[in-house]
């Protein structure tokens, strides 16, 4: 029954350490998307899923959009 909230601006850190990654944005701020990687953290930076999610997340953030 323990919840920890980690706030970061580093997408790789979030993908490596989080169970659920919640992307916020907009005005007023709202949830744009939730990402749930398949395996348990901590994940290796070279993990294929982490690499794919990181690339997709960066594209979305750079374009100011979410899934």
């Amino acid at each position: 029954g323990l919840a920890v909230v980690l706030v970061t601006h580093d997408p790789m850190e979030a993908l490596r350490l989080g169970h659920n990654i919640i992307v916020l944005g907009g005005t007023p701020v709202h949830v744009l998307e939730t990402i749930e990687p398949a395996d348990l953290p901590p994940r290796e930076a070279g993990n294929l899923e982490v690499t794919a999610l990181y690339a997709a997340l960066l594209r979305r953030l750079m374009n100011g959009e979410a899934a």
Side-chain angles (χ1 to χ4, degrees), residues 3-7:
V4 176
V5 177
L6 169 68
V7 178

Side-chain angles (χ1 to χ4, degrees), residues 11-43:
M12 181 58 77
E13 179 180 46
L15 290 167
R16 290 190 62 231
L17 299 177
H19 287 273
N20 299 300
I21 294 84
I22 300 170
V23 181
L24 303 174
T27 305
V29 174
H30 58 278
V31 174
L32 297 176
E33 72 177 300
T34 301
I35 301 169
E36 298 180 26
D39 55 345
L40 294 174
R43 298 173 196 87

